[in-house]
Amino acid sequence: AMHAVDRSRRVLYAAVVIGLGVGSAAFHASMTEWGGWMDLLGIHLFLGVVLLIDLAALRNRSDRWLVQTVGVGGSVAAGALWFMDNSFGKYTAGALVVAVAIAEWRISQTDLRPDRRWLGSAVGLFGAGLAVQWLGRGGGLWCDPAGVLQPHALWHLVAAGATIALARHLFPTSGPRSEGRRLS
């Protein structure tokens, strides 16, 4: 059976993935500064929650600690991102990606998540999506504003798949904490 901790963390992860979609939609639908802020906030909350789920697993922290830390950290991030130039957000998001990579490296030295295949899938998908995004940016090799297939839209689809693969990594259905239960 799934532990309450797993369920709580899955719900938190699902909430920030939904927040990613809401923030992205707010930006793409409005093309406003506040829409850009919502998009960046969604990205930062997603990366921050992944980092905090990792840290909670490494340090055996409670869900209460996790939720309180997300609340305080998310509030600070929301305020900082509101006053920060939106173009700077890619650097702070990049710093969070590095922090998640370090936390995942530390987890790889434990038996918390021995199967790393889903993490490899998530990293591969995010990487492929970012490559498509980069090639499709304004002036990029695949930039064709009149084209039917837009690379940025493909980025969103691939990134959505990556969030699923990452969820499978963060919340394994088999392993030391679930007594061998496996989803097929």
Side-chain angles (χ1 to χ4, degrees), residues 10-25 42 46 163:
R10 287 172 192 248
V11 168
L12 180 60
Y13 182 83
V16 296
V17 169
I18 291 167
L20 268 175
V22 169
S24 179
F46 171 75
T163 65

Side-chain angles (χ1 to χ4, degrees), residues 42-182:
I43 292 165
H44 283 74
L45 287 175
F46 171 75
L47 291 168
V49 163
V50 171
L51 176 62
L52 290 171
I53 287 170
D54 279 351
L55 293 176
L58 277 168
R59 302 287 182 224
N60 199 24
R61 298 292 183 158
S62 69
D63 283 356
R64 182 180 178 151
W65 173 87
L66 182 62
V67 169
Q68 288 175 341
T69 306
V70 168
V72 171
S75 298
V76 169
L81 290 168
W82 181 257
F83 292 104
M84 170 188 310
D85 179 60
N86 279 356
S87 63
F88 189 72
K90 62 185 167 196
Y91 300 111
T92 53
L96 282 168
V97 168
V98 169
V100 168
I102 292 168
E104 282 295 332
W105 172 75
R106 288 287 298 126
I107 286 174
S108 75
Q109 298 174 327
T110 71
D111 67 345
L112 288 170
R113 297 185 203 128
D115 185 350
R116 314 282 293 163
R117 289 176 292 184
W118 285 110
L119 178 62
S121 297
V123 170
L125 286 167
F126 276 126
L130 286 170
V132 167
Q133 164 69 1
W134 186 77
L135 289 167
R137 75 194 186 290
L141 187 63
W142 294 351
C143 179
D144 180 10
V148 174
L149 179 62
Q150 291 296 312
H152 190 77
L154 186 57
W155 147 251
H156 281 281
L157 290 174
V158 172
T163 65
I164 294 167
L166 188 57
R168 293 294 305 262
H169 168 69
L170 292 171
F171 311 109
T173 54
S174 65
R177 293 192 172 173
S178 59
E179 295 85 41
R181 183 170 162 255
R182 186 176 291 278

